[in-house]
């Protein structure tokens, strides 16, 4: 069994930022997590400090190297469970080992569910997007559609309407489960909610049309996936950490209600962007550093 002072779950911007702070402060730091979704050939244009576009892959690789430079240990491993032990430490079970940690920073992002439409992968980055505030700008005055049945989808559609008036929501055959205030707002903005399923995507090289299950087609250049944030909250729930909707509740120091457990990045909700994740990672690290010094280090000396 391995021991660490700080275990960071998630190797995205939040987890890496936290690791830079905890390892620089001299804490034994382990990061578990594999490449985050953004670590691909995606152009990151809105993160501070890069006068030219940087790819998500390069940004994450730089972050990993920076954290390792200060002594953080990173592994692509998946956490399965976390339990609180009698001695005040946490026992973490992964796919390959068990680890005892004094403090944990949850930085698991949100797992977005993918619809099962043939050709989805082919159009990623060519019309399909998971992020209105990242990509809405590229669809100014174009025909766009948000996939989803809940408040998240409605909210994405309302945000998209700032870029183009030609927005529709499609529930992929599911019942609408939006709060009345959202359906009202969609009506006000003249955003139709289509309850049919989508069976095919068309366009070459980029998306230009979707085909519904009744054979009807609709011009669509941007398809924004908002099927609800699949929960990565199992750890939080099993530890009795408070959650709200799909997100972990934290205070301004990124503390949860459980001792030594902090959360940062997309898993705390709000603005799902790199800059916010990086800032929260730094704050969570500061809290974890204080906790380890005052709790585990003092009890073991
Ligand atoms: P993530 O980056 O999602 O990282 C989560 C980490 O947790 C991953 O390492 C994952 O492997 C790990 N993890 C999850 N579950 C487990 C588990 N059980 N055990 C171990 N590890 C686990 N934002 C911008 O600011 N600008 C952009 O241009 C931009 N473009 C984007 C493009 C795409 C395609 C995507 C998907 C997102 C984009 N975003 C952009 C959003 C941005 O990527 C996120 O806001 C940011 O990555 C959130 O960081 P995070 O560290 O909270 O989580």
């Amino acid at each position: 069994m391995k021991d660490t002072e700080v275990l960071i779950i998630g190797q995205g911007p939040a987890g890496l930022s936290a690791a830079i702070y905890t390892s620089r402060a001299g804490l034994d730091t382990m990061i578990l997590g594999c490449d985050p979704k953004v670590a691909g050939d995606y152009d990151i244009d809105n993160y501070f400090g890069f006068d030219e576009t940087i790819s998500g892959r390069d940004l994450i690789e730089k972050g990993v190297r920076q954290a390792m430079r200060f002594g953080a240990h990173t592994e692509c491993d998946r956490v399965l469970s976390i339990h609180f032990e009698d001695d005040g430490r946490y026992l973490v079970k992964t796919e390959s080992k068990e680890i005892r940690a004094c403090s944990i920073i949850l930085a698991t992002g949100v797992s977005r569910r993918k619809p099962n439409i043939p050709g989805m992968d082919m159009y990623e980055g060519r019309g399909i997007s998971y992020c209105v505030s990242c990509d809405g700008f590229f669809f100014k005055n174009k025909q766009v559609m948000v996939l989803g049945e809940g408040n998240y989808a409605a909210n994405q559609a309302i945000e998209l309407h700032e870029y183009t008036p030609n927005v529709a929501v499609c529930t992929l055959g599911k019942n609408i489960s939006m709060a009345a205030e959202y359906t009202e707002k969609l009506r006000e903005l003249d955003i139709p909610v289509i309850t049919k399923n989508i069976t095919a995507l068309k366009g070459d090289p980029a998306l230009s049309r979707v085909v519904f299950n009744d054979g009807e087609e609709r011009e669509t250049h941007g398809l924004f996936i908002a099927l609800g944030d699949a929960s990565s909250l199992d750890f939080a729930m099993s530890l009795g950490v408070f959650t709200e909707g799909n997100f972990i509740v934290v205070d301004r120091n990124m503390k949860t209600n459980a001792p030594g457990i902090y959360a940062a990045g997309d898993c705390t909700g709000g603005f799902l962007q790199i800059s916010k994740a990086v800032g929260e990672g730094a704050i969570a690290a500061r809290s974890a550093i204080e906790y380890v010094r005052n709790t585990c280090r003092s009890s073991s000396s």
Side-chain angles (χ1 to χ4, degrees):
M1 177 162 345
K2 291 193 177 181
D3 268 275
T4 188
E5 288 180 313
V6 182
L7 178 71
I8 297 170
I9 308 177
Q11 202 195 268
L16 291 170
S17 165
I20 289 163
Y21 277 81
T22 55
S23 52
R24 269 190 102 231
L27 267 60
D28 184 18
T29 300
M30 182 182 285
I31 317 168
L32 296 180
C34 308
D35 273 351
K37 291 194 196 81
V38 74
D41 292 325
Y42 303 112
D43 288 348
I44 308 298
D45 241 354
N46 55 1
Y47 184 57
F48 172 83
F50 294 92
D51 55 351
E52 289 183 11
T53 297
I54 183 164
S55 75
R57 178 177 293 117
D58 286 349
L59 186 66
I60 295 300
E61 280 177 6
K62 279 176 186 287
V64 170
R65 285 200 297 273
Q66 191 177 2
M68 287 173 72
R69 177 156 65 91
F70 299 118
H73 177 78
T74 77
E75 273 179 52
C76 178
D77 195 359
R78 200 143 280 274
V79 174
L80 301 175
S81 67
I82 309 175
H83 294 287
F84 187 64
E85 299 280 278
D86 291 343
D87 63 358
R89 307 291 211 267
Y90 289 95
L91 179 65
V92 178
K93 188 165 183 248
T94 78
E95 284 176 344
S96 67
K97 60 184 136 338
E98 289 191 339
I99 302 159
R100 271 162 42 94
C102 170
S103 176
I104 293 179
I105 297 176
L106 299 171
T108 51
V110 285
S111 25
R112 297 173 174 116
R113 278 184 291 137
K114 231 175 170 178
N116 192 16
I117 304 171
M120 283 286 300
D121 289 345
M122 197 175 104
Y123 288 109
E124 286 222 6
R126 296 174 182 187
I128 289 184
S129 171
Y130 290 83
C131 175
V132 169
S133 47
C134 310
D135 298 332
F137 176 82
F138 299 118
F139 294 91
K140 260 189 181 166
N141 295 320
K142 293 202 170 155
Q143 296 279 354
V144 296
M145 193 180 283
V146 176
L147 300 186
E149 73 285 0
N151 294 340
Y152 178 50
N155 200 47
Q156 292 285 92
I158 292 161
E159 224 185 293
L160 257 181
H161 195 266
E162 289 176 25
Y163 299 101
T164 170
N166 309 312
V167 186
V169 173
C170 175
T171 68
L172 295 178
K174 293 195 180 140
N175 292 330
I176 301 169
S177 62
M178 297 167 190
E181 62 188 271
Y182 281 108
T183 45
E184 187 50 43
K185 185 74 184 165
L186 293 181
R187 215 172 294 127
E188 262 173 50
L189 294 174
D190 210 15
I191 298 176
V193 180
I194 301 162
T195 53
K196 293 188 271 192
N197 206 346
I198 293 177
T199 52
L201 306 173
K202 287 186 173 177
D204 186 14
L207 180 72
S208 59
R209 302 187 82 71
V210 300
V211 184
F212 294 108
N213 52 334
D214 60 1
E216 197 200 323
E217 294 191 12
R218 186 182 174 101
E219 186 186 353
T220 305
H221 300 277
L223 204 54
F224 287 80
I225 316 302
L227 294 180
D229 305 301
S231 177
S232 55
L233 302 179
D234 294 344
F235 311 135
M237 286 172 184
S238 68
L239 292 168
V241 166
F242 296 148
T243 58
E244 203 173 279
N246 286 324
F247 299 110
I248 298 170
V249 175
V250 283
D251 68 10
R252 58 185 303 168
N253 294 312
M254 312 319 292
K255 293 182 186 177
T256 70
N257 55 302
I261 303 279
Y262 308 92
D266 282 4
C267 66
T268 68
F271 196 37
L272 305 185
Q273 291 279 278
I274 294 166
S275 49
K276 180 255 192 192
V278 167
E280 287 190 354
I283 298 169
R286 190 185 57 177
S287 297
I289 292 164
E290 191 187 340
Y291 180 83
V292 169
R293 286 181 178 155
N294 292 340
T295 313
C296 299
R297 282 194 176 175
S298 60
S299 64
S300 58
S301 56

